Amino acid sequence: MLANLLAPLAFAADEVTSLPGWSGPLPSRQFSGYLDVGASKHLHYWLVESEGSPSTDPTVLWLNGGPGCSSLDGFLYEHGPFRVQMAADGATALAAFEYSWAKLANMVYLEAPCGVGFSYSDVGGDDYAATDDTAAADNLRA
C-alpha cells in the first residue's frame, strides 16, 4: 500500500500538530513539507492520513488542474478535512468537513508543476517552464 511506503518519508519534522483557527486535536495525522525533485526543484505536499485505518485504506494522489492551480484548493475547498469559515467574532476559523475524502482514504495533495502553490525552484528559469511530460516526470520523481 502506498501509505505504508509514504509513512517513512513523512518525517517527524513535517508533522502538522495544530492549525490556526482549529482547536483540539486534528481529525487525523497530517504532514506538510517538500519533496526534492532533482537538484533544484522542491514540490510541496500535504498528506492527510485516513481517519479510518491509514495502514489499510487506499491512498489518493490529488493534483488540481490548470496547470497552475494549487492542490491546496482541493484540500481547503473540495474534499479536505476542513472548511474555512468566519467565526462569530469575525475571525477566520476552521470547521470539520463531514464529507472529507480522508474519512475513507489517505490523501496526498501535491502542488505541481514546480512554481505552483508553495512549490519552488532554487534556480528559477527553466525549472518553471513545465510541459505535460516534464510535470509527469517530476511527479514520478516526487
Side-chain angles (χ1 to χ4, degrees):
M1 179 101 327
L2 183 58
N4 294 333
L5 296 174
L6 289 175
L9 299 176
F11 302 109
D14 288 352
E15 186 164 7
V16 176
T17 57
S18 64
L19 289 169
W22 181 264
S23 61
L26 297 173
S28 63
R29 291 181 74 196
Q30 299 182 26
F31 299 84
S32 178
Y34 290 91
L35 302 172
D36 296 333
V37 177
S40 59
K41 295 180 187 178
H42 312 279
L43 299 186
H44 178 253
Y45 78 94
W46 197 296
L47 166 65
V48 179
E49 285 190 350
S50 170
E51 294 177 35
S53 179
S55 63
T56 59
D57 284 348
T59 297
V60 174
L61 173 63
W62 183 260
L63 301 164
N64 263 65
C69 184
S70 168
S71 291
L72 294 183
D73 276 7
F75 175 77
L76 288 171
Y77 303 122
E78 297 173 10
H79 42 67
F82 309 108
R83 285 292 182 265
V84 179
Q85 65 181 25
M86 191 73 70
D89 63 0
T92 303
L94 295 175
F97 181 52
E98 178 180 357
Y99 303 106
S100 170
W101 289 10
K103 294 202 178 286
L104 300 173
N106 300 289
M107 296 295 300
V108 179
Y109 298 89
L110 183 64
E111 297 197 278
C114 184
V116 170
F118 292 111
S119 295
Y120 69 96
S121 165
D122 294 326
V123 298
D126 288 342
D127 278 357
Y128 294 127
T131 66
D132 286 345
D133 291 335
T134 61
D138 286 349
N139 291 345
L140 179 61
R141 276 182 284 221

